[in-house]
Amino acid sequence: MTSLSILVIDDDQSQREVLSGFMKKKGYNIFTSDSGEDGLKIIKKNYVDLVITDFKMPGINGLEVLQKVKDINPEIAVMIITAFGTIKDSVQAMKNGAWDYLSKPIDLDELEFKLEKLSNYKKLLKENESLRSRLAEESIESDIVYKSSEMEEVINMIARVSQSNASVFIMGESGTGKEMVARAIHGSSPRSQNPFVPVNCAAIPETLFESEFFGHEKGAFTGSQKMHKGHFEISDGGTLFLDEVADIPLNFQVKLLRALQEKEFQRLGSSQRIKADIRIISATNQDIKDKVKNDQFRSDLFFRLNVIPITIPPLRERKDDIPLLVNHFIEKYSRQNGVQFDHITTKAMDNLMRYSFPGNVRELENLIERAVILCRNSHISCEDIALKNTQELCDNIDQGLEARVANLEKKMIIKALEKSNYVKTEAAAKLKISERVIRYKIKKYNIET
Ligand SMILES: Nc1ncnc2c1ncn2[C@@H]1O[C@H](COP(=O)(O)OP(=O)(O)OP(=O)(O)O)[C@@H](O)[C@H]1O
Ligand SMILES: [Mg+2]
């Protein structure tokens, strides 16, 4: 544990020197300043655990220093030095959030004792914090399967943001795991014991947004026979997940923004304002910035929602994750279906590694689920995995033309072989090539026959 960093603010030079000299000898890191104003500048530039400030000084006094320090960083402890016999000042300081006080003449033993107490407290805080973030990381890791550095960044981000209340905006193509990440943030946050409320904004009819989100009183409109709590009320204390957030209609965007700013809302048909303590996580697979540019999404609402952006890269840009995900899903669906598989053939895995997964992890999951159910051997091979190949082959140009064409050629040969029950002459005829050529290519591409 590094020792405390302490700032001493006192206009009395000799007192400043006595205090700082004593604490330096005890191994603390010391800054000094002869006025509150200068002291605050030091705090803005340096890491400080404790401010020891005189109460009475020219310029701003100790109480004002206390207030300003708390504004800058509420975690900095403040100790106020009061004159002999002015117990009222000490009480006032404690009421305003001082950590402790010292009265003149200063008893150095007493000071040392108080500093040790603060050191121990800070040490405990640190241990707690690291324990909490370790626990958070562990629980995330048990759900989200990954190996790539791209996903590692996402995981680190989850651990960092889960302790705060800041709004998170998750972007990523369909099936990349946006909801999974949102749940992981909630699950490792201090709100985890309270509800996680996912709302698919694309599924709500335009006229119902207000009552869905804010709820309504009995009889608020035709058909409202019962009082109904909205998503805001249900997620109080927890996390509200605005899925497909780009689909919120403009007229409701205004109302949502106001409720988020005021942290208050009203049920339809009621004038009572209800307080809501909600953490918001939003997600979309659309180009939200484009929607903002085209005035289809309010920029003020977007800024409010997008305090911490997290982008989940598509699966084709983090292929390192594919083998782990494949094995994870084989295990999951084997367990669910009461079957057992030894392995997946290298060729089948190769094919998966080359595929571009327009539907990302969800597509991979569905492929494996289907293969596990339909496969009749003890291992999963290419035939069990049906990849949508043609259009996809042309979409991804990063591999270069030659590799891409070779890939297509290989896939066409496999398909022709499958369709002709692996009779090579027949497959060659289908492809309008000679038998010699098909034999050559089967060897070249190492195709299972
Ligand atoms: N890294 C991962 N590890 C394990 N499972 C994952 C991972 N990423 C996604 N999944 C699984 O893939 C499926 C899709 O994930 P999710 O629903 O979170 O995606 P999404 O981005 O919200 O998709 P959409 O845009 O279609 O709503 C889920 O079943 C989820 O459990
Ligand atoms: Mg989703």
Side-chain angles (χ1 to χ4, degrees):
M1 164 98 186
T2 49
S3 67
L4 295 179
S5 289
I6 302 172
L7 167 66
V8 180
I9 308 176
D10 202 323
D11 57 314
D12 175 346
Q13 190 189 350
S14 65
Q15 171 132 308
R16 219 169 47 229
E17 281 172 4
V18 169
L19 283 178
S20 60
F22 173 75
M23 292 190 291
K24 255 187 209 157
K25 246 198 269 156
K26 297 283 170 196
Y28 296 106
N29 307 317
I30 305 298
F31 301 94
T32 55
S33 156
D34 60 4
S35 74
E37 288 85 349
D38 278 348
L40 293 171
K41 281 185 202 151
I42 292 177
I43 291 173
K44 283 183 188 155
K45 280 201 212 116
N46 300 280
Y47 177 81
V48 170
D49 294 294
L50 169 68
V51 174
I52 300 181
T53 177
D54 196 17
F55 190 98
K56 240 190 177 155
M57 292 180 292
I60 62 174
N61 70 19
L63 273 186
E64 288 164 304
V65 169
L66 168 64
Q67 186 59 48
K68 296 220 154 83
V69 169
K70 292 286 161 193
D71 287 345
I72 296 169
N73 179 357
E75 276 170 29
I76 300 177
V78 178
M79 195 181 315
I80 294 202
I81 304 170
T82 51
F84 177 72
T86 52
I87 204 75
K88 233 176 56 214
D89 291 345
S90 322
V91 171
Q92 186 65 40
M94 295 301 280
K95 266 193 188 157
N96 289 12
W99 173 70
D100 210 336
Y101 66 90
L102 284 170
S103 42
K104 287 182 198 172
I106 292 172
D107 176 346
L108 291 177
D109 287 339
E110 187 190 349
L111 172 63
E112 188 179 359
F113 172 74
K114 290 185 169 179
L115 293 181
E116 270 168 22
K117 209 170 69 181
L118 183 64
S119 289
N120 288 336
Y121 173 69
K122 288 261 168 181
K123 202 165 118 198
L124 261 179
L125 272 188
K126 264 213 180 110
E127 279 169 7
N128 244 335
E129 209 171 275
S130 79
L131 190 68
R132 254 209 322 264
S133 78
R134 226 176 38 235
L135 281 177
E137 262 168 39
E138 273 168 20
S139 74
I140 296 165
E141 274 170 17
S142 58
D143 293 340
I144 303 184
V145 177
Y146 69 96
K147 178 171 174 243
S148 62
S149 54
E150 288 84 355
M151 276 312 278
E152 194 169 338
E153 251 174 63
V154 172
I155 299 288
N156 288 339
M157 200 66 184
I158 294 175
R160 260 184 290 157
V161 303
S162 59
Q163 299 307 318
S164 89
N165 268 331
S167 301
V168 175
F169 200 104
I170 306 172
M171 279 168 272
E173 289 180 10
S174 164
T176 43
K178 296 185 292 296
E179 176 154 357
M180 189 168 204
V181 166
R183 284 183 189 274
I185 294 173
H186 172 78
S188 48
S189 78
R191 299 174 169 262
S192 62
Q193 298 308 313
N194 298 320
F196 175 85
V197 180
V199 179
N200 183 350
C201 301
I204 304 174
E206 190 158 345
T207 49
L208 290 187
F209 269 87
E210 234 180 310
S211 77
E212 284 287 309
F213 275 84
F214 302 145
H216 60 72
E217 295 295 339
K218 183 179 168 185
F221 50 85
T222 344
S224 56
Q225 274 123 1
K226 272 204 221 140
M227 186 279 275
H228 164 79
K229 283 189 182 176
H231 301 311
F232 261 61
E233 221 167 323
I234 294 169
S235 53
D236 188 30
T239 304
L240 180 58
F241 177 49
L242 304 175
D243 203 2
E244 318 285 358
V245 70
D247 287 323
I248 297 181
L250 276 166
N251 65 359
F252 184 68
Q253 288 177 21
V254 193
K255 293 172 184 160
L256 177 63
L257 177 65
R258 192 176 326 124
L260 293 179
Q261 274 167 345
E262 291 168 8
K263 298 189 168 68
E264 268 186 2
F265 63 95
Q266 286 158 291
R267 288 189 201 138
L268 278 182
S270 158
S271 58
Q272 192 198 343
R273 304 188 68 77
I274 304 175
K275 283 217 174 313
D277 164 30
I278 300 173
R279 201 241 180 113
I280 303 279
I281 302 180
S282 318
T284 183
N285 53 28
Q286 300 185 35
D287 187 342
I288 184 82
K289 289 183 184 150
D290 197 54
K291 281 203 138 185
V292 171
K293 227 188 280 160
N294 296 326
D295 294 328
Q296 288 163 315
F297 200 91
R298 293 181 64 102
S299 57
D300 45 8
L301 178 59
F302 179 59
F303 288 135
R304 182 102 202 164
L305 300 176
N306 188 38
V307 177
I308 296 172
I310 296 182
T311 302
I312 310 181
L315 189 55
R316 64 183 167 280
E317 286 172 19
R318 47 178 168 110
K319 294 206 159 182
D320 287 0
D321 291 340
I322 293 177
L324 257 80
L325 283 165
V326 166
N327 289 326
H328 168 75
F329 292 132
I330 290 180
E331 224 170 83
K332 173 175 169 187
Y333 288 105
S334 299
R335 217 180 316 116
Q336 265 185 28
N337 293 286
V339 287
Q340 209 171 2
F341 289 97
D342 302 341
H343 63 283
I344 174 165
T345 63
T346 341
K347 286 234 172 72
M349 188 65 100
D350 275 357
N351 282 352
L352 289 171
M353 287 296 276
R354 273 197 298 264
Y355 185 54
S356 67
F357 289 103
N360 293 293
V361 184
R362 176 174 300 109
E363 183 180 6
L364 174 64
E365 181 168 1
N366 292 343
L367 272 175
I368 300 292
E369 182 180 10
R370 202 165 47 224
V372 166
I373 293 170
L374 298 178
C375 178
R376 289 200 206 94
N377 300 316
S378 62
H379 56 262
I380 295 176
S381 60
C382 302
E383 297 86 75
D384 304 312
I385 293 170
L387 303 177
K388 279 191 259 151
N389 37 25
T390 43
Q391 182 52 43
E392 268 322 297
L393 280 169
C394 308
D395 285 350
N396 190 345
I397 57 168
D398 303 344
Q399 286 182 347
L401 185 63
E402 224 158 290
R404 213 65 193 146
V405 170
N407 204 342
L408 177 62
E409 193 170 62
K410 180 178 172 184
K411 288 196 172 159
M412 283 179 72
I413 293 170
I414 293 174
K415 186 124 226 171
L417 281 167
E418 280 171 3
K419 288 211 163 152
S420 10
N421 273 324
Y422 292 84
V423 180
K424 293 185 189 101
T425 31
E426 230 183 304
K430 279 198 164 71
L431 293 168
K432 300 187 175 65
I433 54 176
S434 71
E435 202 183 330
R436 212 168 61 86
V437 172
I438 202 170
R439 281 186 198 286
Y440 164 74
K441 302 228 181 222
I442 286 172
K443 207 163 158 209
K444 176 178 167 194
Y445 295 129
N446 209 5
I447 295 171
E448 266 176 293
T449 55

